[in-house]
């Protein structure tokens, strides 16, 4: 059985993330979505809020579960028994950073293989940070995130 870990901040989960999760769930026996807990700059939702938004979004996918973690991602891979790490790749923004991360991860954990799924065209320019900006300024984000995330963002940015 192959378990894959899909790690990220998910602040909040977008349809771009969900597309990657759905496609990974069709390839691997089990997918663990790992919510990276450590607070970074510009984090809007608490780790628990991010976890709950994700759990609601993937509840229909029976071989997907969501957990939070801190520390090294490769250590979390070992903890959940994942041999594969899944990452999403957008055209411009992700390649160099992902390349660096993969080289570091290979040094730290040679047995964990990274797999990159290319973002679908409609989500190529969708990032959680841009989404938060759009939501803050009252933009229409209905096609970019599930409805419960639209509501959660509205609540956060309520004047
Ligand atoms: P990080 O906190 O590592 O930047 P995110 O939580 O934003 O990560 O995203 C987690 C993973 O999902 C990363 O591999 C990122 O490249 C990918 N990703 C983010 N947005 C999209 C998108 N719109 N389409 C496909 N993959 C995406």
């Amino acid at each position: 059985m192959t378990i894959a870990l899909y790690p990220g901040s998910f602040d909040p989960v977008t349809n771009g993330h969900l597309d990657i999760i759905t496609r990974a769930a069709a390839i691997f026996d089990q997918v663990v979505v790992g919510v990276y807990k450590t607070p970074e700059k510009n984090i809007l939702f608490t780790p628990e809020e991010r976890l709950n938004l994700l759990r609601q979004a993937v509840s229909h996918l029976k071989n997907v579960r969501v957990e939070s973690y801190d520390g090294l991602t490769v250590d979390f891979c070992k903890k959940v028994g994942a041999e594969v790490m899944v990452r999403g790749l957008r055209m411009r923004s992700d390649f160099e950073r992902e390349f660096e991360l993969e080289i570091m991860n290979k040094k730290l954990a040679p047995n964990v293989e990274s797999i990159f799924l290319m973002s679908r065209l409609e989500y190529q320019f969708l990032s959680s940070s841009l989404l938060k900006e759009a939501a803050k300024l009252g933009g229409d984000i209905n096609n970019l995130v599930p409805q419960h995330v639209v509501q959660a963002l509205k609540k956060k940015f309520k004047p």
Side-chain angles (χ1 to χ4, degrees), residues 6-10 16-17 20 87-88 90 94 98 119 123 126:
Y6 178 45
S9 310
F10 306 105
H17 296 130
I20 300 292
R87 299 290 288 171
R90 285 158 297 183
D94 292 327
E98 292 295 338
S119 178
Y123 304 134
L126 175 56

Side-chain angles (χ1 to χ4, degrees), residues 14-158:
T14 69
N15 288 348
H17 296 130
L18 290 173
D19 176 50
I20 300 292
I21 296 170
T22 308
R23 287 158 60 194
I27 300 171
F28 300 104
D29 298 307
Q30 262 187 43
V31 175
V32 179
V33 182
V35 178
Y36 186 55
K37 260 200 284 195
T38 307
E40 289 169 50
K41 50 187 173 11
N42 297 329
I43 289 282
L44 179 66
F45 292 95
T46 66
E48 206 188 344
E49 287 171 329
R50 287 181 270 144
L51 190 90
N52 288 334
L53 291 173
L54 258 162
R55 282 199 172 141
Q56 221 176 311
V58 301
S59 60
H60 61 292
L61 296 168
K62 296 300 163 220
N63 60 339
V64 176
R65 67 174 202 275
V66 187
E67 288 180 25
S68 56
Y69 73 101
D70 47 23
L72 279 176
T73 302
V74 288
D75 287 344
F76 189 58
C77 267
K78 282 181 204 149
K79 191 175 164 215
V80 299
E83 298 161 41
V84 174
M85 186 150 32
V86 174
R87 299 290 288 171
L89 263 193
R90 285 158 297 183
M91 198 162 52
R92 290 189 172 256
S93 46
D94 292 327
F95 184 77
E96 277 185 32
R97 171 83 183 135
E98 292 295 338
F99 194 81
E100 279 175 13
L101 268 176
E102 163 55 11
I103 287 173
M104 178 58 84
N105 283 336
K106 255 288 174 292
K107 279 210 181 338
L108 297 171
N111 295 333
V112 175
E113 205 54 77
S114 291
I115 302 263
F116 300 90
L117 296 180
M118 292 228 295
S119 178
R120 279 161 63 144
L121 194 57
E122 60 263 51
Y123 304 134
Q124 282 285 342
F125 296 97
L126 175 56
S127 66
S128 295
S129 47
L130 258 185
L131 176 89
K132 283 181 279 185
E133 262 186 68
K136 192 174 179 179
L137 299 173
D140 180 359
I141 52 164
N142 282 293
N143 292 330
L144 304 176
V145 288
Q147 266 313 302
H148 68 281
V149 178
V150 174
Q151 296 314 322
L153 281 162
K154 274 193 182 146
K155 230 164 127 184
K156 282 276 178 200
F157 291 126
K158 211 164 55 187

